[in-house]
Amino acid sequence: MKVLITGASKGIGAAIAEKFAQKGYDLALCARNLSDLERFANALKAKYVNIKILTRSVDCAKSDDVKAFIHQIKNDFGQIDILVNNAGIYTQGTILNTKLEDYTQMLNANFFAAIELTQAFVPDMITKKSGHVINITSITTKKLLVHAGAYAVSKAAMQSFTDNLREEVQQTGVRVTAIIPGATFTYSWLGTDIPEERFISATDIADAVLAAVNCSTGANMDEVIIRPTLGEI
């Protein structure tokens, strides 16, 4: 089985990659920082010697990068069984004060890259009558946060895309799941004064992804909401 994970060098993406590596899945991983990604991939290879790992530096906000990654996978790696659209960027700001170029960058990375990857790999899943698309969205699609208005717009687009895709492929054997995390302790929170135990862990998100994939063929986990026990931060 082969899994494609975007934004896989650290945080949620890395935790998901680790879970699939433990199960013996081959991995196609991308991230913007190639040195971080290769360091992580080499650590996985040392622990899980029987899996194949493909890595590439990809800025998911750049369509040319995404297209090149798709081309490499199809040439060197083969068909994908599970697509995890995890990559995303966050620019803090309200609807009114966020610059148009920041909206564009977030929509490109958080939404349009997932569309390109889905259109590239899901048709083959449909032909095989099996496959799974996992989209990491955000709690901002359920609970609005004023300081994250522009980011919420990009993730709302991703959530709508996920819901519509699920309906389109429902009869084909392809499953589609939205993972909807609240505040998760990742690299972006390093240096905060908030205790780590106040956050969701990246491993919690990875466990939810694995649970969705492990459902019986007759079941689809449509969405999973994971929030900090004490509420949003």
Side-chain angles (χ1 to χ4, degrees), residues 132-135 162 166 175-179 212 220-223:
H132 206 137
V133 179
I134 304 282
N135 289 335
T162 304
R166 185 185 305 114
R175 296 184 289 181
V176 180
T177 299
I179 305 294
N220 186 77
M221 198 175 289
D222 286 2
E223 63 180 41

Side-chain angles (χ1 to χ4, degrees), residues 159-171 174-178 220-223:
Q159 184 69 41
S160 180
F161 161 62
T162 304
D163 293 340
N164 279 276
L165 176 65
R166 185 185 305 114
E167 290 302 307
E168 287 185 16
V169 302
Q170 189 174 43
Q171 305 299 320
V174 178
R175 296 184 289 181
V176 180
T177 299
N220 186 77
M221 198 175 289
D222 286 2
E223 63 180 41

Side-chain angles (χ1 to χ4, degrees), residues 3-10 27-42 45 52-77 87 117 121:
V3 186
L4 190 167
I5 305 168
T6 62
S9 63
K10 59 185 68 171
L27 307 173
L29 309 177
C30 75
R32 283 178 291 178
N33 189 310
L34 185 59
S35 61
D36 285 348
L37 181 62
E38 289 184 338
R39 189 179 306 112
F40 172 62
N42 288 335
K45 290 174 185 176
K52 178 181 179 181
I53 303 179
L54 180 152
T55 58
R56 187 181 181 94
S57 174
V58 175
D59 182 346
C60 283
K62 298 178 179 178
S63 181
D64 286 347
D65 277 16
V66 177
K67 285 181 172 65
F69 189 41
I70 291 168
H71 181 75
Q72 181 182 8
I73 290 170
K74 290 195 170 185
N75 280 351
D76 302 339
F77 200 67
L117 291 164
F121 294 109

Side-chain angles (χ1 to χ4, degrees), residues 209-224:
V209 169
L210 206 64
V213 169
N214 286 336
C215 284
S216 69
T217 55
N220 186 77
M221 198 175 289
D222 286 2
E223 63 180 41
V224 182

Side-chain angles (χ1 to χ4, degrees), residues 1 8 10 31 37 45 87 96 104 158 198:
M1 297 284 280
K10 59 185 68 171
L37 181 62
K45 290 174 185 176
L96 295 180
T104 301
M158 181 68 151
R198 182 68 176 77

